[in-house]
Amino acid sequence: MGNAPFHGQSGLTLVEVIVSLVLVGLISLAGLLLVDSLISVQLRVDDRYIDLSDLQRTFEAFELDTQQADPGAISLEPASLVLQTHACGAVGYVEFRLGETGLQRTATQCGGTEMLLGDGASSRIEVIDTVGRNWSVWPANIDDDDVSAQAIELIVNLNDREGRLTGEMRRIVNLPARIER
Protein backbone atom coordinates (compact mmCIF):
# COMPACT_ATOMS: atom_id res chain seq x y z
CA MET A 1 0.00 0.00 0.00
CA GLY A 2 2.53 2.63 0.44
CA ASN A 3 1.96 6.30 0.47
CA ALA A 4 -1.20 7.57 -1.03
CA PRO A 5 -0.90 10.62 -3.23
CA PHE A 6 -1.85 13.95 -1.56
CA HIS A 7 -5.02 15.27 -3.15
CA GLY A 8 -6.11 18.16 -0.81
CA GLN A 9 -4.46 21.17 0.66
CA SER A 10 -4.05 21.35 4.42
CA GLY A 11 -2.22 24.27 6.13
CA LEU A 12 -0.92 27.61 4.90
CA THR A 13 1.85 28.36 2.51
CA LEU A 14 4.80 30.50 3.53
CA VAL A 15 3.53 33.43 1.41
CA GLU A 16 0.16 33.39 3.18
CA VAL A 17 1.83 33.41 6.61
CA ILE A 18 4.08 36.34 5.62
CA VAL A 19 1.13 38.34 4.22
CA SER A 20 -0.90 37.78 7.39
CA LEU A 21 2.06 38.86 9.59
CA VAL A 22 2.49 42.03 7.52
CA LEU A 23 -1.23 42.84 7.87
CA VAL A 24 -1.16 42.29 11.65
CA GLY A 25 1.95 44.50 11.86
CA LEU A 26 0.32 47.32 9.87
CA ILE A 27 -2.85 47.19 11.98
CA SER A 28 -0.74 47.25 15.18
CA LEU A 29 1.28 50.21 13.89
CA ALA A 30 -1.91 52.13 13.06
CA GLY A 31 -3.24 51.42 16.56
CA LEU A 32 0.03 52.56 18.16
CA LEU A 33 0.01 55.80 16.14
CA LEU A 34 -3.60 56.44 17.19
CA VAL A 35 -2.80 55.94 20.88
CA ASP A 36 0.30 58.17 20.58
CA SER A 37 -1.78 60.88 18.90
CA LEU A 38 -4.42 60.70 21.65
CA ILE A 39 -1.77 61.00 24.38
CA SER A 40 -0.20 63.98 22.62
CA VAL A 41 -3.57 65.74 22.34
CA GLN A 42 -4.27 65.08 26.02
CA LEU A 43 -0.92 66.57 27.04
CA ARG A 44 -1.62 69.73 24.98
CA VAL A 45 -5.07 70.03 26.56
CA ASP A 46 -3.50 69.64 30.02
CA ASP A 47 -0.91 72.34 29.23
CA ARG A 48 -3.60 74.74 28.03
CA TYR A 49 -5.69 74.04 31.12
CA ILE A 50 -2.69 74.84 33.35
CA ASP A 51 -2.03 78.06 31.40
CA LEU A 52 -5.67 79.09 31.67
CA SER A 53 -5.75 78.28 35.39
CA ASP A 54 -2.58 80.35 36.01
CA LEU A 55 -3.99 83.24 34.02
CA GLN A 56 -7.30 83.14 35.87
CA ARG A 57 -5.56 83.01 39.26
CA THR A 58 -3.35 85.95 38.25
CA PHE A 59 -6.25 88.11 37.09
CA GLU A 60 -8.30 87.27 40.20
CA ALA A 61 -5.47 88.20 42.58
CA PHE A 62 -4.77 91.40 40.63
CA GLU A 63 -8.45 92.38 40.58
CA LEU A 64 -8.99 91.67 44.28
CA ASP A 65 -5.91 93.66 45.33
CA THR A 66 -6.73 96.57 43.00
CA GLN A 67 -10.34 96.78 44.18
CA GLN A 68 -9.09 97.12 47.78
CA ALA A 69 -6.38 99.67 46.93
CA ASP A 70 -6.22 103.26 48.07
CA PRO A 71 -6.23 105.27 44.81
CA GLY A 72 -4.02 107.92 46.41
CA ALA A 73 -1.33 105.42 47.43
CA ILE A 74 -0.34 103.85 44.11
CA SER A 75 3.25 103.63 42.94
CA LEU A 76 4.01 102.30 39.48
CA GLU A 77 7.55 101.92 38.17
CA PRO A 78 8.47 100.12 34.94
CA ALA A 79 8.99 96.80 36.76
CA SER A 80 6.81 97.13 39.85
CA LEU A 81 3.35 98.17 41.05
CA VAL A 82 2.86 98.85 44.77
CA LEU A 83 -0.65 99.24 46.18
CA GLN A 84 -1.76 100.11 49.69
CA THR A 85 -4.59 97.68 50.37
CA HIS A 86 -6.79 96.28 53.11
CA ALA A 87 -6.10 92.63 52.31
CA CYS A 88 -5.89 89.97 55.04
CA GLY A 89 -7.81 92.17 57.46
CA ALA A 90 -5.07 94.78 57.83
CA VAL A 91 -3.72 97.80 56.00
CA GLY A 92 -0.53 96.92 54.18
CA TYR A 93 1.17 96.86 50.82
CA VAL A 94 0.91 94.50 47.88
CA GLU A 95 3.61 94.56 45.23
CA PHE A 96 3.37 93.11 41.76
CA ARG A 97 6.91 92.71 40.44
CA LEU A 98 7.56 92.13 36.75
CA GLY A 99 10.70 90.11 36.20
CA GLU A 100 12.39 87.90 33.67
CA THR A 101 11.01 84.84 35.45
CA GLY A 102 7.40 86.06 35.41
CA LEU A 103 5.02 88.05 37.58
CA GLN A 104 5.39 87.88 41.37
CA ARG A 105 2.94 89.08 44.01
CA THR A 106 4.17 89.99 47.49
CA ALA A 107 1.76 90.99 50.27
CA THR A 108 3.41 92.46 53.37
CA GLN A 109 0.38 92.02 55.63
CA CYS A 110 -0.26 88.43 54.50
CA GLY A 111 3.39 87.48 54.69
CA GLY A 112 4.39 85.83 51.49
CA THR A 113 5.46 85.94 47.89
CA GLU A 114 3.84 83.91 45.18
CA MET A 115 4.69 83.44 41.54
CA LEU A 116 1.59 84.22 39.51
CA LEU A 117 2.95 83.73 35.99
CA GLY A 118 6.13 81.86 35.19
CA ASP A 119 8.28 81.47 32.12
CA GLY A 120 6.58 81.89 28.79
CA ALA A 121 4.66 85.03 29.80
CA SER A 122 5.67 88.66 29.81
CA SER A 123 3.61 91.33 31.55
CA ARG A 124 3.25 95.04 31.88
CA ILE A 125 1.08 97.24 34.06
CA GLU A 126 -0.33 100.67 33.28
CA VAL A 127 -2.34 103.21 35.25
CA ILE A 128 -5.28 104.82 33.43
CA ASP A 129 -6.09 108.35 34.59
CA THR A 130 -9.47 110.08 34.71
CA VAL A 131 -8.83 111.60 31.26
CA GLY A 132 -8.23 108.12 29.77
CA ARG A 133 -4.45 108.31 29.28
CA ASN A 134 -2.25 105.30 30.02
CA TRP A 135 0.85 105.75 32.19
CA SER A 136 3.72 103.34 32.70
CA VAL A 137 4.96 105.36 35.70
CA TRP A 138 2.70 106.70 38.45
CA PRO A 139 2.34 109.16 40.07
CA ALA A 140 2.82 111.02 36.84
CA ASN A 141 4.12 114.55 36.52
CA ILE A 142 0.81 116.19 35.71
CA ASP A 143 0.02 119.86 36.24
CA ASP A 144 -3.71 119.21 36.49
CA ASP A 145 -4.78 118.48 40.10
CA ASP A 146 -8.14 117.13 38.92
CA VAL A 147 -6.48 114.19 37.14
CA SER A 148 -6.08 111.07 39.25
CA ALA A 149 -5.74 107.33 38.80
CA GLN A 150 -9.03 105.76 37.72
CA ALA A 151 -8.06 102.20 36.78
CA ILE A 152 -5.10 99.85 36.49
CA GLU A 153 -4.52 97.59 33.50
CA LEU A 154 -2.59 94.33 33.57
CA ILE A 155 -1.42 93.19 30.12
CA VAL A 156 -0.14 89.62 29.85
CA ASN A 157 1.52 88.43 26.66
CA LEU A 158 1.68 84.64 26.42
CA ASN A 159 4.62 83.93 24.14
CA ASP A 160 4.42 81.47 21.26
CA ARG A 161 4.83 77.96 22.61
CA GLU A 162 3.75 74.91 20.67
CA GLY A 163 0.39 73.62 21.83
CA ARG A 164 -0.01 76.28 24.55
CA LEU A 165 -2.15 79.38 24.94
CA THR A 166 -0.68 82.35 23.09
CA GLY A 167 -1.59 85.97 22.58
CA GLU A 168 -2.21 89.09 24.61
CA MET A 169 -4.72 89.11 27.48
CA ARG A 170 -5.80 92.28 29.27
CA ARG A 171 -7.60 93.00 32.52
CA ILE A 172 -8.66 96.53 33.43
CA VAL A 173 -9.78 97.05 37.02
CA ASN A 174 -11.40 100.26 38.20
CA LEU A 175 -10.02 101.69 41.41
CA PRO A 176 -12.43 102.35 44.28
CA ALA A 177 -13.62 105.91 44.82
CA ARG A 178 -11.13 108.00 46.74
CA ILE A 179 -12.27 108.87 50.21
CA GLU A 180 -11.43 112.44 51.16
CA ARG A 181 -10.20 112.74 54.74
Side-chain angles (χ1 to χ4, degrees):
M1 289 219 34
N3 291 341
F6 183 70
H7 295 293
Q9 185 180 17
S10 68
L12 301 171
T13 65
L14 181 60
V15 171
E16 291 171 331
V17 170
I18 290 174
V19 167
S20 65
L21 286 176
V22 167
L23 288 175
V24 168
L26 289 175
I27 292 170
S28 298
L29 179 63
L32 180 64
L33 291 175
L34 178 65
V35 169
D36 183 55
S37 174
L38 290 174
I39 290 172
S40 150
V41 167
Q42 183 63 42
L43 290 175
R44 281 196 308 262
V45 168
D46 289 347
D47 289 343
R48 285 180 181 218
Y49 177 76
I50 290 168
D51 289 347
L52 194 57
S53 177
D54 288 346
L55 194 61
Q56 182 177 3
R57 186 173 50 89
T58 299
F59 283 148
E60 285 175 357
F62 179 76
E63 185 170 354
L64 183 64
D65 289 334
T66 303
Q67 288 174 341
Q68 297 179 32
D70 178 358
I74 295 172
S75 172
L76 177 61
E77 298 296 325
S80 158
L81 169 69
V82 178
L83 305 170
Q84 182 179 358
T85 68
H86 301 280
C88 298
V91 176
Y93 293 93
V94 173
E95 178 183 23
F96 289 90
R97 179 161 295 284
L98 309 170
E100 291 183 17
T101 59
L103 177 66
Q104 284 184 338
R105 176 187 176 272
T106 303
T108 57
Q109 70 273 31
C110 299
T113 298
E114 64 178 322
M115 180 64 72
L116 295 176
L117 291 174
D119 291 336
S122 58
S123 307
R124 72 180 191 276
I125 299 174
E126 296 179 349
V127 170
I128 303 171
D129 66 17
T130 50
V131 181
R133 295 175 290 197
N134 288 36
W135 299 89
S136 58
V137 174
W138 190 267
N141 294 327
I142 308 172
D143 294 333
D144 190 353
D145 291 336
D146 292 334
V147 175
S148 61
Q150 179 177 0
I152 301 177
E153 180 177 24
L154 172 61
I155 301 121
V156 176
N157 187 7
L158 299 172
N159 303 325
D160 286 337
R161 299 167 296 164
E162 186 176 337
R164 306 290 292 261
L165 287 179
T166 60
E168 188 174 87
M169 316 290 178
R170 295 172 174 255
R171 175 67 57 100
I172 299 175
V173 181
N174 287 326
L175 291 165
R178 187 166 187 175
I179 299 172
E180 299 298 327
R181 296 178 193 168

